[in-house]
Amino acid sequence: MLPQRMKKVVTNNPKKLANLIDLVNLPPTLRDFVGQSQTSRLTCFMRVWSYVKTNNLQDPNNKNMVNCDEKLKGILLGKPRVELAELPALIKLHFLKEPK
């Protein structure tokens, strides 16, 4: 049962409800990167994507590729370059490795 304060927030914002439903404990690798211990998987991916955009890690010659810095390599299996399309699958691997 949600506290009254939270019910009001949720009913005013369906997106917050969706995030609560999908709330997960982040694996340690992502916890350090995202900076919190719980969030939705979508939010986790969006934080990684935001990091890529903020730090200009997209290859200027090929926007479909990301040049990984050391911090990003830490969550993307040490790969120096990845395709944008690979990002969700590589992030999902961290959740699959965690014990149930």
Side-chain angles (χ1 to χ4, degrees):
M1 183 118 185
L2 292 173
Q4 190 63 34
R5 183 177 86 240
M6 193 175 263
K7 280 183 187 173
K8 196 171 195 175
V9 171
V10 167
T11 51
N12 291 340
N13 189 342
K15 192 171 182 180
K16 283 196 187 257
L17 177 61
N19 281 341
L20 283 175
I21 292 168
D22 190 31
L23 201 64
V24 290
N25 290 316
L26 292 182
T29 45
L30 292 176
R31 190 177 306 143
D32 294 339
F33 188 90
V34 173
Q36 57 191 96
S37 60
Q38 270 193 340
T39 189
S40 72
R41 291 172 196 224
L42 176 62
T43 300
C44 182
F45 172 73
M46 293 308 292
R47 294 261 168 89
V48 173
W49 174 241
S50 174
Y51 181 83
V52 167
K53 297 297 274 180
T54 303
N55 293 289
N56 296 318
L57 297 177
Q58 275 183 284
D59 189 325
N61 300 320
N62 181 355
K63 294 287 184 188
N64 293 323
M65 296 299 291
V66 173
N67 297 316
C68 300
D69 62 4
E70 289 306 311
K71 189 172 179 181
L72 200 54
K73 279 183 197 176
I75 63 164
L76 299 180
L77 308 176
K79 294 184 174 200
R81 272 173 67 90
V82 296
E83 288 184 39
L84 279 178
E86 282 184 279
L87 277 179
L90 289 170
I91 293 166
K92 189 176 181 181
L93 285 174
H94 292 278
F95 291 102
L96 296 176
K97 285 191 251 177
E98 284 299 292
K100 300 279 181 205

